Amino acid sequence: MKKNLLILLLVVVMFAGACSKKTSSPKMITDADSVAYIIGMNIAANLQKTDSTLNLAAVCEGIRDVERGKTRLTQEEGRAYFLRYMNYFLPEKARRYEEEFLEEFAKSNRSYARTKSGVTYAVAEIGDQDLVPMSDRDSVVMRVVIRTADDHEIYSSYERGDSLCSKMSDLVGGLRESLRLVGEGGRISTWLPAREAYGAEGDEKLGVKPNATLFYEIELLRVDKFSNRKKR
């Protein structure tokens, strides 16, 4: 992600003329004008996806300063600040917002409890307490619905008409922690903080963005305990 944003910023600089003059809205007369406008749209959209709080006017001011040959920071200073922002400030800001969100959610939904890791859960059905997946070598079969904090559904076993079979060791930490709270036949709803889910990298294949807080609805259908397999 960091590499892609660095490349994107270099592309912005390449098109410095797009923001270099404070004039009225330009007329798109030729096909090249339309393409230039589309490039500007894509640059802004990608910047907003990276961090929706970015000030696009400041982005344009940086472009103008590069064209003028008089920037407020050197390239080295800019790179150092950018890396600090991406590696510390942005994740820390997301973490603080996430903590406030989950804390308020638990307060306003009394059926939910929180673990030390920040996993925020509500058990709907406890299930068979003799078949709780405690070991990372246990295997589970479950139906799962995964949503983002803005209620966008990114995965549903019910829609797909299937179930998810996995070893506990192959699941993200927050999901393992949640499954250990119920037994076979149990049902649990759980919020996973980003650090207990897919972290700062996200999961492009699943459609999980970096630093995403995720909501899981889980129906634990079957538990195959490693300790029982050893006895066979």
Side-chain angles (χ1 to χ4, degrees):
M1 183 186 72
K2 297 168 191 169
K3 182 179 178 182
N4 289 341
L5 186 55
L6 282 169
I7 292 172
L8 177 61
L9 292 176
L10 289 174
V11 171
V12 172
V13 172
M14 288 172 60
F15 291 95
C19 293
S20 61
K21 297 178 181 179
K22 295 180 180 178
T23 60
S24 58
S25 298
K27 295 180 180 179
M28 289 178 283
I29 300 173
T30 68
D31 290 340
D33 295 337
S34 297
V35 169
Y37 180 76
I38 293 166
I39 289 170
M41 287 174 55
N42 289 335
I43 289 171
N46 284 322
L47 285 171
Q48 287 184 324
K49 285 178 184 177
T50 302
D51 182 357
S52 61
T53 66
L54 282 175
N55 183 343
L56 294 184
V59 173
C60 284
E61 187 62 20
I63 293 172
R64 294 187 193 102
D65 284 351
V66 168
E67 189 180 48
R68 295 173 187 136
K70 192 174 182 180
T71 58
R72 304 177 193 185
L73 300 170
T74 66
Q75 289 288 342
E76 292 74 18
E77 290 171 336
R79 177 178 174 80
Y81 189 92
F82 174 79
L83 291 175
R84 282 200 304 275
Y85 182 81
M86 293 302 295
N87 291 326
Y88 177 74
F89 294 117
L90 193 59
E92 182 63 18
K93 182 166 62 174
R95 190 199 64 76
R96 286 198 304 270
Y97 173 80
E98 177 182 71
E99 179 64 22
E100 291 172 6
F101 170 79
L102 292 178
E103 189 173 335
E104 286 300 315
F105 184 88
K107 284 180 180 178
S108 59
N109 294 269
R110 295 301 179 88
S111 60
Y112 280 79
R114 300 192 72 195
T115 69
K116 289 182 179 180
S117 69
V119 170
T120 304
Y121 69 93
V123 174
E125 192 170 338
I126 195 68
D128 187 343
Q129 291 303 282
D130 290 327
L131 289 173
V132 177
M134 299 301 294
S135 169
D136 282 352
R137 292 184 286 186
D138 293 344
S139 295
V140 295
V141 179
M142 55 187 168
R143 292 193 184 100
V144 181
V145 177
I146 309 174
R147 295 187 178 91
T148 58
D150 60 358
D151 204 32
H152 173 64
E153 187 175 289
I154 59 176
Y155 181 90
S156 172
S157 295
Y158 300 96
E159 276 197 11
R160 294 164 64 98
D162 63 8
S163 55
L164 179 63
C165 179
S166 175
K167 288 178 64 176
M168 287 284 282
S169 59
D170 293 333
L171 301 174
V172 295
L175 187 50
R176 293 197 303 272
E177 184 176 359
S178 300
L179 288 171
R180 289 177 181 137
L181 298 170
V182 294
E184 185 176 290
R187 292 183 296 115
I188 186 171
S189 298
T190 183
W191 285 97
L192 305 189
R195 63 182 178 277
E196 297 298 329
Y198 294 94
E201 296 302 318
D203 187 313
E204 189 173 348
K205 185 177 180 181
L206 188 57
V208 178
K209 294 181 179 179
N211 299 308
T213 311
L214 297 178
F215 179 70
Y216 282 70
E217 293 179 13
I218 307 163
E219 183 182 1
L220 185 53
L221 301 176
R222 191 167 71 250
V223 177
D224 184 9
K225 293 186 71 66
F226 178 77
S227 58
N228 292 340
R229 292 200 301 270
K230 287 175 64 179
K231 298 174 184 177
R232 293 172 191 166

